[in-house]
Amino acid sequence: MTHHQFRAAAVQAAPVFLDLDASIDKAIGLIEDAARAGAELVAFPETYLPGYPWYIWLDAPAWGFQFTQRYFDNSLEYGTPEADRIAQAAKDNHIMVVMGLSERYKASLYIAQWIIDAEGKTVAMRRKLKPTHVERTVYGEGDGSDLSVYDTALGRVGALCCWEHLQPLSKYAMYSQNEQIHVGAWPSFSLYTGAAYALGPEVNTAASRIYAVEGGCFVISPCATVSPEMIDIMCTDDAKRAMLTAGGGHARIFAPDGQLMHEPLAHDEEGLVFADIDTSVISIAKAAADPAGHYSRPDVTRLWLNKTPGDRVVPGQPVDRARYDVTEEPAELRLEIIEHLAGLEDSAHV
């Protein structure tokens, strides 16, 4: 296996909430900062563009509707001039970018990660397999094709978002594909601080660390912060201000043995954390415990992974009736052809 050495960066910063163009400006600045520091990969938090919709956790869905159109309009659509700016920044700075975004596709939104190589070309466009809890009031779902690992110039790269790191089978699907560099994107850890089950930094940074140890891979975990401006936009009363606090950034990079590879930033500090990656050490971790190789028991437990894309509309094949002349055939053959035609017609219906 080819080994790679490079510097990686994880973003800890707030977006310019609900402002796609300004958030892209800020993202490009962070891309440039990472490249100037020698990084060959920079990873952004979950839905960095145009920010995580914390309002869905603060009140009833009907109250949150006031943000719906603005959030939709400022989500990123692939193939647009806005998306081209990000790809161009990756190319101009010769750096791989893993961008967290709210993806706008037709009339729906998806929690997405866009992997762009150092030439500005798309490696992958994935969606979170299952939005978490109230996220399902905003976003649709990904499919099995999103649980994939990709060959790149830096090694085998994969990505997941937030509580996908609490899904044992999804993680195992990634481990089984010999992932070397994993981007685990998180929003800030700012909600119900100190009071809610599993929403704080202790559990979630531990999930990133455990992923590194279980998967025997490097884990780059960007994490956003909540800015005072975001508080002003979403927290319209004292009760909401008590639920959502500023800061909450806990960007981390972990080695395959679970070691934290850098000094962390303060939770309310914006910036980048860096680590020097050497994929050759993965062999040491995997020699001890390769979860999908010598340390597995496929005769006892197995994972079935369905990678079929989950397209909502699949056109059927049109029926060419001129190919069939049933009037001159024996009765049994006519029946077989008629049943075949009926099956084709059924498959053409959505």
Side-chain angles (χ1 to χ4, degrees), residues 33 101 137 196 219 237 272 321 335 345:
D33 289 345
L101 63 136
T137 65
V219 173
D237 55 53
L272 298 160
R321 291 181 177 273
L335 179 60
E345 289 177 328

Side-chain angles (χ1 to χ4, degrees), residues 156-174:
R156 291 186 57 76
V157 176
L160 295 175
C161 276
C162 197
W163 272 15
E164 289 187 302
H165 296 88
L166 301 188
Q167 285 282 7
L169 299 183
S170 297
K171 292 194 297 179
Y172 194 76
M174 301 293 284

